[in-house]
Amino acid sequence: MADDERLARFIRDTLRSAEQQLSDAKKAYKNGKRSAEAGLPRDEEGRARIVCRRHAEYRAVSMDEQRRPVCYDGENTDCQGCVEDIRDGTIETW
């Protein structure tokens, strides 16, 4: 019975690992696609590499469906300017 339990645990762990890898791959694909559509350079996980106006720092960020950084705050003027720069193709990148 111990062998059966070890086999079941091995299968569960392997399945969880495969599910996590698939989830990570889907996220990287989605990030890469959105960043590419916005014309932005990407990191190895597909996130856009931009210089954040709001925090004045280099950031690798995911993009939402509207090609805005997921950290976007519609009430912040720096964030609004960042999105305008992305759309104009003048955003500072690294």
Side-chain angles (χ1 to χ4, degrees):
M1 195 135 204
D3 287 340
D4 289 342
E5 290 173 11
R6 280 195 304 241
L7 179 60
R9 185 178 318 125
F10 172 76
I11 292 171
R12 275 194 311 272
D13 291 347
T14 303
L15 183 58
R16 276 192 210 116
S17 176
E19 288 173 343
Q20 184 62 48
Q21 290 175 15
L22 181 60
S23 174
D24 292 346
K26 285 180 179 180
K27 185 184 294 183
Y29 174 78
K30 191 182 324 179
N31 286 336
K33 182 178 177 185
R34 290 177 182 160
S35 296
E37 289 172 346
L40 300 171
R42 295 163 281 171
D43 70 359
E44 62 280 349
E45 295 177 23
R47 297 174 299 188
R49 295 183 308 162
I50 64 172
V51 177
C52 176
R53 287 176 150 198
R54 182 178 184 182
H55 298 284
E57 64 185 14
Y58 294 111
R59 284 202 168 173
V61 297
S62 297
M63 305 293 281
D64 67 12
E65 297 82 21
Q66 297 171 330
R67 294 180 194 86
R68 299 178 306 199
V70 293
C71 56
Y72 174 74
D73 175 2
E75 296 180 13
N76 185 290
T77 56
D78 288 331
C79 290
Q80 293 168 0
C82 180
V83 170
E84 289 172 10
D85 287 352
I86 289 171
R87 291 186 179 141
D88 294 342
T90 58
I91 186 75
E92 193 174 344
T93 62
W94 53 278

